[in-house]
Amino acid sequence: MRYKQQVREQLRSEEGYALSVRRMIEPEGVSEEMKNNRGFRRFLLRGLPKVSLEVGWLSLAHNLLKQAAIDQNRKIAV
């Protein structure tokens, strides 16, 4: 209980709040979405240039799917 109270106090402090806000905007969500929702577990290609290309394709697919969802929601709203 004492440890939980210490953590709560740290999170409520000004520094703790700044850290939690900064963490909210970090790009972890995108990589987690690719892993969990898209089923991406490992790179198929080897070597930095090929892996960079594969990351680019994954990012492109992610952004196109996001845009398609936005367009679909706009179409439903109209």
Side-chain angles (χ1 to χ4, degrees), residues 17-33:
Y17 178 76
L19 286 173
S20 67
V21 168
R22 192 180 95 216
R23 185 177 177 131
M24 287 181 209
I25 60 171
E26 289 181 359
E28 292 174 357
V30 174
S31 61
E32 289 301 315
E33 186 173 332

Side-chain angles (χ1 to χ4, degrees), residues 67-77:
Q67 187 62 47
I70 290 169
D71 292 345
Q72 185 68 26
N73 287 337
R74 284 185 187 153
K75 195 180 286 187
I76 291 171

